[in-house]
Amino acid sequence: MNAHQWHTALVVSHDHQLYELRLANGATRHARVAGAFVYRAVDQSDFPVVGDTVLCEWDESISGEAQIHQVQPRYGVIARLRPGDATVQQVIAANVDVALLVLGLDGGRSFTEGLLARLLTTVRAGEVPAVVVLNKCDCATAEQVARTVKRAAYTAPGAPVHVVSAHTGAGLPDLRAAWKPGQTACLMGASGVGKSSLLNAFLSNSVERVGDLRTDGRGRHTTTRRRLHEMECGRRIIDIPGLRELQLWSDESAVDDTFPDIAEYADQCRFRDCRHAGEPGCAVQQALFEGFIDPGRFDRFLELRRETEWLETRQNDRARAARDAQWKAISKEQKRMKKNR
Ligand SMILES: Nc1nc2c(ncn2[C@@H]2O[C@H](COP(=O)(O)OP(=O)(O)OP(=O)(O)O)[C@@H](O)[C@H]2O)c(=O)[nH]1
Ligand SMILES: [Mg+2]
Ligand SMILES: [Zn+2]
């Protein structure tokens, strides 16, 4: 076999720079990005992530480790603002066909409209279809379940809502039908809602078992790394650690998609750029006043809107700084050329 043959492979997981790939024949192989790749990369979001298809090669006679040369074009990208950084995007997973937004039915803060709206806006920004998964239905009464389903449907208009239990298996066959063989689902949600338990329930008929569980000291198993798993019949599922911070990487239109009811009123505001903060002729304020918009929902809308505006301003600042630096370099070069003439 030719030692320098190119291969396409799927990124299954990675730990900093060390990647784990699955090859077309099902074998796994460790890999790093090639030197030229690092040189070409503009920023962190160019590097491979879980779910990516990459082109790679290796030389068996030197080491079995593959070099990744290229990331194939992505669709279905789930991204957030890199924690602790003002303007950098962190891609969480790529080529995702459906996002399973997992929340808990066990009371307390396992279900909040705020978190659901945030998860939804995040996945809509990457044009990933969302399914709401209310897990731990074994912990709730029928009445509690009905109430939460209603709140979920109200917060995520248009998204299917599934009531399930990873422990009893209730609702799982229906949920499995949310994505087709050959497609990839990505579990998202807070820590402890049962993402890995759902994964294990899905993998129970398959050869693979989840080994990536670590006890977090409070007696809980916590996922520490994103990982793509192969289910039976060619379905794929990505498990990720609970997102402690989910700052949006999104734009205003994704927020409007999450709040179509509010966006509809906003279209009727007198000013195109109305911020719905007391401007004259504001249809949103009017609808609030008349009770057509729920004040809590309006607060969540404003919060996400503010966050995207802030991000856009930061990005513009960054672009301007880059442009200024470019002009400075050009004029410096011109001065140098003049002097040398
Ligand atoms: N009663 C009940 N408990 C569940 C269910 N699903 C998960 N749990 C429990 O919830 C706890 C957290 O489950 P995990 O699957 O580790 O949660 P996770 O979302 O993967 O958490 P992170 O990996 O930290 O993000 C465990 O103690 C599970 O046994 C369920 O359907 N019913
Ligand atoms: Mg987990
Ligand atoms: Zn307005």
Side-chain angles (χ1 to χ4, degrees):
M1 195 175 114
N2 184 350
H4 287 287
Q5 202 181 333
W6 288 72
H7 301 264
T8 52
L10 182 66
V11 177
V12 169
S13 76
H14 65 96
D15 185 7
H16 300 286
Q17 304 304 323
L18 187 62
Y19 288 85
E20 187 180 328
L21 306 181
R22 183 169 306 121
L23 310 175
N25 65 5
T28 58
R29 190 170 284 269
H30 288 286
R32 289 172 200 277
V33 292
F37 186 105
V38 179
Y39 181 74
R40 276 199 321 266
V42 177
D43 65 42
Q44 201 61 38
S45 64
D46 291 336
F47 282 80
V49 296
V50 172
D52 265 326
T53 302
V54 295
L55 288 182
C56 60
E57 62 162 356
W58 60 86
D59 188 338
E60 208 75 68
S61 63
I62 299 173
S63 86
E65 211 172 75
Q67 261 87 52
I68 298 173
H69 289 278
Q70 198 178 316
V71 176
Q72 300 294 67
R74 291 169 175 159
Y75 68 90
V77 172
I78 297 178
R80 67 168 166 181
L81 202 62
R82 179 170 292 277
D85 198 315
T87 52
V88 182
Q89 181 192 34
Q90 179 183 38
V91 181
I92 294 173
N95 305 326
V96 176
D97 296 288
V98 60
L100 307 179
L101 312 183
V102 187
L103 297 111
L105 283 163
D106 51 338
R109 297 196 54 79
S110 343
F111 179 95
T112 69
E113 277 105 342
L115 179 58
L116 177 53
R118 186 170 285 273
L119 289 168
L120 195 62
T121 307
T122 298
V123 303
R124 291 225 163 125
E127 288 171 5
V128 180
V131 167
V132 181
V133 180
L134 303 176
N135 186 34
K136 309 196 187 183
C137 69
D138 54 295
C139 297
T141 65
E143 196 213 328
Q144 286 166 332
V145 170
R147 199 163 353 114
T148 311
V149 167
K150 213 166 145 192
R151 285 166 68 195
Y154 179 61
T155 307
V161 179
H162 289 258
V163 173
V164 304
S165 166
H167 279 190
T168 68
L172 295 186
D174 277 354
L175 178 57
R176 183 183 281 119
W179 72 111
K180 297 193 194 76
Q183 292 190 326
T184 304
C186 181
L187 291 156
M188 293 184 68
S191 184
V193 292
K195 298 180 295 299
S196 300
S197 305
L198 286 167
L199 171 74
N200 271 322
F202 280 139
L203 293 182
S204 61
N205 321 329
S206 89
V207 280
E208 195 180 1
R209 295 296 325 212
V210 180
D212 180 36
L213 294 175
R214 184 195 69 177
T215 303
D216 72 352
R218 289 175 302 193
R220 254 206 354 235
H221 288 296
T222 297
T223 309
T224 55
R225 200 166 295 158
R226 297 172 224 147
R227 189 176 187 90
L228 185 145
H229 303 267
E230 225 43 81
M231 285 165 57
E232 85 312 342
C233 351
R235 285 186 176 83
R236 293 172 179 149
I237 185 163
I238 298 173
D239 187 21
I240 65 177
L243 298 166
R244 213 162 281 128
E245 253 183 83
L246 185 58
Q247 296 267 70
L248 295 181
W249 182 270
S250 156
D251 54 21
E252 285 177 13
S253 71
V255 179
D256 287 350
D257 279 352
T258 304
F259 298 91
D261 46 340
I262 297 180
E264 202 173 304
Y265 287 109
D267 279 345
Q268 295 160 31
C269 293
R270 185 179 304 160
F271 301 115
R272 273 263 114 245
D273 58 350
C274 185
R275 299 171 61 104
H276 326 302
E279 290 96 329
C282 175
V284 173
Q285 285 290 339
Q286 184 68 24
L288 258 174
F289 179 72
E290 288 170 6
F292 293 121
I293 296 175
D294 171 60
R297 191 163 160 78
F298 180 63
D299 284 346
R300 289 188 288 281
F301 168 78
L302 280 190
E303 184 188 321
L304 297 182
R305 249 330 245 280
R306 240 178 264 131
E307 220 170 282
T308 51
E309 266 177 34
W310 180 85
L311 177 64
E312 271 164 33
T313 318
R314 282 291 104 73
Q315 283 173 314
N316 290 341
D317 288 353
R318 200 172 165 213
R320 192 174 320 118
R323 229 172 19 240
D324 288 353
Q326 211 172 12
W327 278 114
K328 218 180 230 166
I330 291 171
S331 73
K332 207 166 150 192
E333 178 65 14
Q334 281 175 335
K335 266 186 208 141
R336 195 185 60 81
M337 290 197 327
K338 236 186 233 162
K339 225 163 83 189
N340 291 350
R341 227 182 264 151

